[in-house]
């Protein structure tokens, strides 16, 4: 937002960066890697690994949580922490919100704008996957 970053943070103004590209993430963990599907990954219940998908969602949230620690919106950080806590399967605990060090340079604020937009888009994917996971077996 204008008050937070000092400029209007619009999707048209930034190049999105996938900070989860080199690790397990929602897209990789929740869709088929079958090369026959091309650019449109397929979901098939018979080969679908729910725990792997949930782990991918958790890893996405963890990566974005780490990237957004300098963002002063503690409500956003706490929400991510709650989501991670709900997904946690092991004995590890969700990270606690860290006090933001503040963003000083314009370059840092532009990167934050990009990360926030990428996270917004990823949350749509996560929401759709969670809806898919909770849907009856018959609806695909």
């Amino acid at each position: 937002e204008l008050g937070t970053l000092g400029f209007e943070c619009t999707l048209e103004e930034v190049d999105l960066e996938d900070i989860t590209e080199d690790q397990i993430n929602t897209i990789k963990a929740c869709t088929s890697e079958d090369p026959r599907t091309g650019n449109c990954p397929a979901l098939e219940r018979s080969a679908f690994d729910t725990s792997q998908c949930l782990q991918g969602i958790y890893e996405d949230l963890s990566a974005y949580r780490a990237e957004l620690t300098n963002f002063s919106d503690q409500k956003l950080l706490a929400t991510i922490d709650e989501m991670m806590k709900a997904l946690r399967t092991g004995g590890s605990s969700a990270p606690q919100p860290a006090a933001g060090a503040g963003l000083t340079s314009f370059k840092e604020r532009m990167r934050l704008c990009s990360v926030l937009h990428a996270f917004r888009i990823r949350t749509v994917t996560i929401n759709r996957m969670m809806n898919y996971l909770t849907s009856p077996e018959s609806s695909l």
Side-chain angles (χ1 to χ4, degrees):
E1 291 184 13
L2 182 59
T4 305
L5 297 174
F7 60 90
E8 189 173 346
C9 175
T10 63
L11 189 55
E12 294 79 24
E13 300 294 324
V14 294
D15 293 324
L16 296 181
E17 174 186 352
D18 184 1
I19 63 168
T20 65
E21 185 176 30
D22 296 330
Q23 61 192 50
I24 185 172
N25 62 43
T26 304
I27 296 166
K28 290 177 186 173
C30 299
T31 57
S32 171
E33 293 185 17
D34 186 348
R36 294 175 295 169
T37 61
N39 289 334
C40 187
L43 290 175
E44 295 182 25
R45 287 257 186 214
S46 62
F48 190 77
D49 186 342
T50 301
S51 61
Q52 179 182 351
C53 182
L54 292 173
Q55 182 64 32
I57 292 170
Y58 184 90
E59 294 298 327
D60 269 353
L61 293 171
S62 179
Y64 280 101
R65 173 65 173 87
E67 283 293 319
L68 296 171
T69 56
N70 288 331
F71 190 48
S72 61
D73 187 344
Q74 293 300 310
K75 185 177 177 182
L76 173 63
L77 298 176
T79 300
I80 295 171
D81 289 342
E82 286 300 312
M83 292 168 66
M84 290 172 64
K85 185 177 178 182
L87 288 168
R88 187 180 62 224
T89 56
S92 61
S93 60
Q96 296 301 312
L103 301 167
T104 55
S105 75
F106 180 73
K107 185 176 179 179
E108 288 174 325
R109 290 180 285 142
M110 279 298 288
R111 184 166 190 286
L112 176 61
C113 177
S114 173
V115 169
L116 286 169
H117 279 293
F119 182 55
R120 181 181 58 82
I121 293 167
R122 186 56 55 91
T123 59
V124 170
T125 304
I126 290 170
N127 182 50
R128 288 178 179 169
M129 284 311 309
M130 295 304 289
N131 286 335
Y132 174 79
L133 292 172
T134 58
S135 69
E137 290 273 324
S138 61
S139 65
L140 241 185

